[in-house]
Amino acid sequence: MRALLIVCLVAACGDDGMPPPADAGVVTTDKCDYVPLAPTANSGGTVTAASLQAGAAEQILDIPVGTALGGYTARAGFLGSAGVVDTRKIKLAGTFNPSIGRAAAPRVKALAMTAGDETVVILKVDLIYVYEGMVFDLEQRLGPAFAGKVIITSSHSHSAWAQHYYGGPLQLGGGVFRELVYNRFLDAFEATAKAALAARRDAKIGIFFDGNFDPTDQVNHDRRGENDSLPGGNVKDNHFYMIRVDGTDGAPIAALPVFGEHGTLNGEDNPFASSDAPGAVERVMQEQFSTPVVVMHLQSAAGDNSPSGHGGVDCNVHPGKTTDPCLSWATEEGHGRAAAGILMNAWTAAGTNMQSSVEMEMVSRSIEVGPKPETFSIRGGALSYAPFDLTKTPDGKIYDTDGTTLLSPIDEFNAPVGAALCQADAAMFPAAEIDGDQGLMPYGSCLRLDAAGEILGPIFQTDFGVDETSPVCEETRTTISALRINDYVFGTMPGELTVMLATYLRTMSPVPADHTVLLGYSQGHVGYMLRPEDWMMGGYEPSVTFWGPLAAEHIGEKVIELMGLVMTPEREDGTTAGTTRVAVPTVDDGLAIDNPAPNAGTVPATVPPETWSRVGTPAQAQPAAQVPRISGIATFTWIGDDPSVQTPRVTLQSEVSAGVYADVTRKSGRVVEDQEIILAYTPSPLQRTGPQTHLWVAEWQAVPWLGSPDGDSLDMRGNVKLGNYRFHVVGSTWTLDSSPFQVVPGGLTVTAARATTINLGVRWYAPKGWRLMDMDLMSNQPVPVKSQSVKVELLDATSAIVATYTTTTDAAGNVAVADVAGSTQVRVTDASLNVQTAAIP
């Protein structure tokens, strides 16, 4: 969001046309459409222990390719070319650059639990943030018994589908709201929740806690330096929980690791939908099991935590972004592999104290946020805002004489309808600044939302829903929930929870800190959530807030209050002491959709030159007849459905008997259909003037898939099973198979030098590849074949063998053998029977 505001407000926004300051007392919420929150289901009575039943489910989100990806406003088309690959224009994306395909497919996952008459559904979805309307709409779809019993939490992937959030300011990070996209999300949520409910069986649960998670930062690390001088500021999210749910027969059902990390391994230039770092954690962990266990990473204090990447690609080798872009999906897999051992140890530990009888209760509540300043009184009234009154000038005093204690009441955040971009001491344009805050850190840069909305609304072609007398309706309410499972309590925080606030809330919890599980990015989104002292340090995080330094702690106190309710024996109605919620609007998208699409389910005789794939326009529609291991990439091009109708499902199939093919499966039993298979889309013509032809390309690099039975460890990258394969495509009303292609040995490079011995360097090399080849080195550069048995044959000028050795490469992929007179070539065969010959200088 910051990037958008800086560029827009500096480059395009002057003083003319700004709304006048609001007079004190004129701000109302009269234009907001509020509806009552349904009373909590099953309220009344007493919480008692009962046998646990649990079920889990998951599915890929079928969101139209072309939908904008959330998280980076540099993808907004008028700001620049982030994620742009050609001149396509897709109305669905609005003013944002459209997505063009799918890599590691965003998913929705659900865990349903029942104990006695209490049933709870936890959904984790790959989204940049949750729109709270989704919670209410899903509850209504599931029925009255689920009122207040649904938690939706997001992965915060910055490469996940967006355009689902109805509320002006946050559309800066994800594009204009689309009813089509929103309903696709809800359909997937409903189906997955119902599948989890239908899968319930007798179960048991165990929870493991580690208060010193990942001390060497292999998985996550602190990313906010502005607060390092504050007590507890220079700390990452090191509170880790593993929630293990098994059947009473011992068969695992679900694993829920809980810790904070941003979903930002992919940058703003990535135009492919991906579940990013959190999804990688799930994908690698779930392949440690021989059955399809649902692994759901839940975010905690991720607001100031980043994921630690491992591996990657060298962007200087093939810098042309239109034909061979630098897309570092390998880093995701490296991240997941780095976390897998830690998570599996925690899963084992969680199994030492499993309980099949649990006391469970959940309540939800809608609470007020803006616009009344008195709402934000915190710490028992010790810290509050002065009345909003733009006719008065702030006193300019922030701290007491000790330089650290905040003075109260705060009159510097004098923003009747909210403000954003509070990060420094000077505003981007004077017309929207808070009068009297000039030079004060970070108030000096605050921009009143009413003034900013006058500029940004027309640019984004959306109504921000804010003016000098009316706040953004979605920013006047938020939703919170609390869940009790025995002596553990879970609290949802509707935004980017930061470590200092999480630490503080744990001290206020009704149970010990190690039994207090805080879930960030849940039930709604208010931006970053910082303690007031942290907010005052400025920087990026406080710039994405709307009600100033006191808002997050105010919400946190309300969550603690709700936690206290669920820890009592009574079953309370969580809506008591709450308020109404903002109604979910209905929007007419006005989109043109080809249904049926021209020639869907066919293969073009020639590939149109505008067809985009990661390695450039394919030379032919069908895969090459032979694809060498490691370096080889199979591609298949076909004409399919309009993405607004259906995204094709593409699986990799292998020949199991003569002419008979079956889906390739992972160790867990899941089919290979994404991550290894990259799916790209091109409309033809690129800009709609009538019906379009919808071109799709699938790419697969001949590297063992995650969970391969032939071994998917990095020292087995050359061992993908030889044989015949094909792509299998399922469309809306049709299916299609590519021509078969044969995977053959390959991928090795060998260098040789003659000294007192023949010194060899044995490498795997995939210059166009994207799969992870090494945890530290660049995967599209030669990667050493480390500590592996190889056969070395010295050949003479006629290619006759003059010496044969069986030896082992060292950790750098090097090996030396004795020289033999007359040898001019060397042939190396690795452990997987890949062969390469090189001249001996």
Side-chain angles (χ1 to χ4, degrees), residues 31-56:
K31 71 170 187 177
C32 298
D33 184 10
Y34 297 122
V35 294
L37 196 67
T40 304
N42 300 324
S43 58
T46 303
V47 180
T48 56
S51 296
L52 177 68
Q53 287 193 318

Side-chain angles (χ1 to χ4, degrees), residues 37 40 120-121 135-136 139 146-152 361-367 478-484 489-494 517-519 522-524 555-556 558-566 574:
L37 196 67
T40 304
V120 171
V121 176
V135 180
F136 309 128
E139 288 180 354
F146 293 90
K149 307 299 180 181
V150 170
I151 292 175
I152 301 180
E361 182 187 8
M362 178 178 164
V363 296
S364 298
R365 176 177 289 168
S366 178
I367 62 171
T478 196
T479 302
I480 56 175
S481 299
L483 167 66
R484 171 193 179 187
V489 64
F490 297 72
T492 66
M493 293 293 285
V517 187
L518 297 172
L519 304 179
S522 298
Q523 306 295 73
I555 296 170
K558 296 298 183 182
V559 171
I560 294 298
E561 178 182 317
L562 213 57
M563 286 179 169
L565 285 184
V566 298

